[in-house]
Amino acid sequence: VSQPTIHDVARSAKVSKSLVSLVVRGSPNVTEGKRQRVLRAIEDLGYRPNLMARSLAARRTTTIGVMLSDLHNPFFAEVVDGIDAAASASGYGILLNTGNRVVAREAQAIDAFLQLRTDGLILAGTVLPTASIVEASLSCPVVLVSRTSRAPTVDTVANDDRAGAELAVQHLHDLGHHRIAAVDGGNGAGAKARVDGYRHAMTRLGLEKHIRVASGAFTEEGGYRGARSLLRSNHLPTAVCAANDLAAIGVLNAIEEEGLRIPQDISLMGYDNTFLAGLRHISLSTINQSRAEIGQMAITCLLERIEGGRRDPRRLLLTPELVARDTTAPPRPEDAL
Amino acid sequence: VSQPTIHDVARSAKVSKSLVSLVVRGSPNVTEGKRQRVLRAIEDLGYRPNLMARSLAARRTTTIGVMLSDLHNPFFAEVVDGIDAAASASGYGILLNTGNRVVAREAQAIDAFLQLRTDGLILAGTVLPTASIVEASLSCPVVLVSRTSRAPTVDTVANDDRAGAELAVQHLHDLGHHRIAAVDGGNGAGAKARVDGYRHAMTRLGLEKHIRVASGAFTEEGGYRGARSLLRSNHLPTAVCAANDLAAIGVLNAIEEEGLRIPQDISLMGYDNTFLAGLRHISLSTINQSRAEIGQMAITCLLERIEGGRRDPRRLLLTPELVARDTTAPPRPEDAL
DNA sequence: ATGAAAGCGCTAACAG
DNA sequence: CTGTTAGCGCTTTCAT
């Protein structure tokens, strides 16, 4: 199973290794005749350049590593589409990894990329502490997706989670809700900002005494847990803002298990507008953020550092928008006050 | 951003490069004193072995590449969990890739791994022609997940799709259905076997004149398309078997759009038992296949070839099981005949 | 137990 | 335009 090397190709085409290298990399300064000979030899032998050797010598991998905090969250899969498209348009390949939202495993995943010496690193929704992220950014350009940071060595491209959460609360308030509760996203990326936005909006609307945050996570299970604790109280909320769509589905399950109906008894907001929210059977009101744009921006940031030599940080904040579907409606008349 | 090398560590610890290499790889034959010195130097310098160089010299990468046909299909995300666990338990790392169910892009994705010289390759749900797969298997051990093949150079671990489809038809027949239609999975992995199973079961049950297969895909959209064509007919089926859960959701959408209800008017079966099927709001009857087991088996196959030197192919077929939920019920009395 | 030396397969000046 | 010469950072005999 030993693969042919550039040397084999050179010998077979009766030229030097350098010439083969030039042909492989598409140099224009090669006689057509020799180029053909080399190409034929490559074809005949089934030669495939050894990326290890190539990267070692060239001191660059033209590969960017993408660490997905959660492979199960459709939101990230959709962001990857954008990243992939943008990267390959610029001649870079991407490699994926995941840490399952577990700090230690995410650290390992990142380390794998650093050892590989990828030219850049995208951390999508990482739960890692800032210190670890900064450390990584010392050896390789890093951009954080769906999470912000003040660290001067990392770029961030995220949706304005605070504004999005405010949009959600405002929407519910517009429908007439007052007892609006929230299920947070635990240590998930952007979770804190979403809760902040919730608190801020509630306060701004004079509803501070109704502020109620149950602890959850960016998972179905987390949403379910949070909702359970909310439902145990004697004064039920009339509306719930979930940390993300996945969590919203957990909330939805908990609420229906209780024999309550959505949106008649309780209104529900998700966040992310993943395909789940659009499923007819769920038809979840949610907050949209453009994943294609996020992916594109992430690559742009990386390339500015890798090829443009930028050193100062970029902080991109995309504007979220409300998507009202069928899980939100006015509260029951008796609850309207 | 230049990283320290093994040479820097050696100098700092006042030992030879070889010694550092031994320490890094945890050799037992190193004096405790020197080991400590080396370890300290590594720590101080923040040394991280260069995987490119290491793999080039060692002629192995200890990483296995996993090509996911579709990052959006939750089924594969769940298989990856199993693969990841099994791989790291054996000291291997995994790297992910995706080709978006597009032949050309999948080929590219695989090529990226071959250039990287990963020690093994797992193709999960690939839509690639057998020829391309065989070609890849010539330079690196390959195992196909969720797809079978007679090629002598590749291993396969899949669910028995044929049996699973028969299970689905049998279940519907047991409920009293006769006009059972199917929406296929296009070029998706295992799609053909599922349709075969459907046809076979229908025939076995004496329902061959009711056989009807609409063309779809392993996506929500594909299921939607297939269902639309089914619904255009004047003699509606009383039950539908979708190619997978994702497609089932598309079918569900199409059916409800038509003003029909599930399961009262039409029963629906999915396939895969992804978390989507378990969502209370969907509660899809489906066929379960154990992803953890699939992942584990895939790694086992690979290691047998990589480390055990096995040459003959392995063909693992896992037994599927029926999961009856709320989208299947007896047909209306007037349709029962 | 440790070090010296020879590559792994490729790129990158530098000559010519 | 093409070939020669050094490495890239690490592992691996082979001595000592």
Side-chain angles (χ1 to χ4, degrees), chain A residues 303-334:
Chain A
L303 294 188
E304 284 176 2
R305 283 188 187 260
I306 298 172
E307 303 182 340
R310 175 166 58 72
R311 314 297 314 261
D312 52 309
R314 283 252 258 159
R315 230 112 274 193
L316 271 33
L317 214 52
L318 278 48
T319 305
E321 53 196 28
L322 177 76
V323 179
R325 292 207 181 86
D326 302 322
T327 55
T328 46
R332 298 190 168 289
E334 66 269 28

Side-chain angles (χ1 to χ4, degrees), chain A residues 5-6 17 21 25 47 57:
Chain A
T5 74
I6 199 174
K17 294 192 313 180
S21 178
R25 284 175 296 157
Y47 169 71

Side-chain angles (χ1 to χ4, degrees), chain A residues 168 171-172 175 177 180-183 223 227 230 238-256 261-271 282-287 322-329, chain B residues 281:
Chain A
H171 169 58
L172 292 167
L175 287 171
H177 291 274
I180 304 172
V183 171
L230 245 31
T238 64
V240 176
C241 293
N244 71 356
D245 289 349
L246 233 36
I249 287 173
V251 171
L252 188 151
N253 287 187
I255 290 175
E256 299 204 323
R261 306 202 51 196
I262 290 180
Q264 294 87 339
D265 299 312
I266 298 188
S267 280
L268 175 62
M269 286 285 315
Y271 202 117
I282 295 185
S283 196
L284 180 71
S285 292
T286 188
I287 302 296
L322 177 76
V323 179
R325 292 207 181 86
D326 302 322
T327 55
T328 46
Chain B
H281 238 65

Side-chain angles (χ1 to χ4, degrees), chain A residues 229-240:
Chain A
S229 84
L230 245 31
L231 295 171
R232 263 199 300 277
S233 84
N234 37 15
H235 206 41
L236 292 182
T238 64
V240 176

Side-chain angles (χ1 to χ4, degrees), chain B residues 286-318:
Chain B
T286 188
I287 302 296
N288 184 59
Q289 43 177 327
S290 162
R291 318 124 182 65
E293 205 174 338
I294 291 179
Q296 167 69 63
M297 302 271 85
I299 290 296
T300 302
C301 282
L302 235 29
L303 294 189
E304 284 176 1
R305 282 188 188 261
I306 299 173
E307 304 182 339
R310 175 167 57 72
R311 315 295 316 259
D312 52 309
R314 282 251 260 160
R315 231 111 274 193
L316 271 33
L317 214 52
L318 277 48

Side-chain angles (χ1 to χ4, degrees), chain A residues 179-200:
Chain A
R179 293 206 306 283
I180 304 172
V183 171
D184 78 13
N187 65 348
K192 221 178 140 303
R194 290 180 193 179
V195 170
D196 282 352
Y198 160 79
R199 288 185 196 281
H200 185 257

